[in-house]
Amino acid sequence: MEDPVLYRFCVRAKASPDQPEASRPAFITPYPLTEADAAERFEVLECLQHTAQPLSSVSYVFD
């Protein structure tokens, strides 16, 4: 099985009925996420493909 790939995303908060569209600014996630996690938490505007990192990357191994 292949390791999941993490990306940073251009996103905004998910819409709610009491929040106008103008108050949902777009931002880039401060840390990499899987595509599924990003879609669950935010309204994804764009996946930043150039930020791809495999989950098994040494930067994610903790001692």
Side-chain angles (χ1 to χ4, degrees), residues 10-36:
C10 182
V11 299
R12 63 179 162 197
K14 287 194 172 188
S16 66
D18 60 334
Q19 186 178 29
E21 186 75 18
S23 68
R24 296 187 312 125
F27 62 95
I28 295 174
T29 56
Y31 46 85
L33 299 164
T34 63
E35 290 187 64

Side-chain angles (χ1 to χ4, degrees), residues 5-9 28 32 47-54 60:
V5 177
L6 304 177
Y7 302 95
R8 292 184 67 192
F9 295 86
I28 295 174
C47 176
L48 305 177
Q49 296 286 334
H50 67 280
T51 65
Q53 295 181 357
Y60 291 96

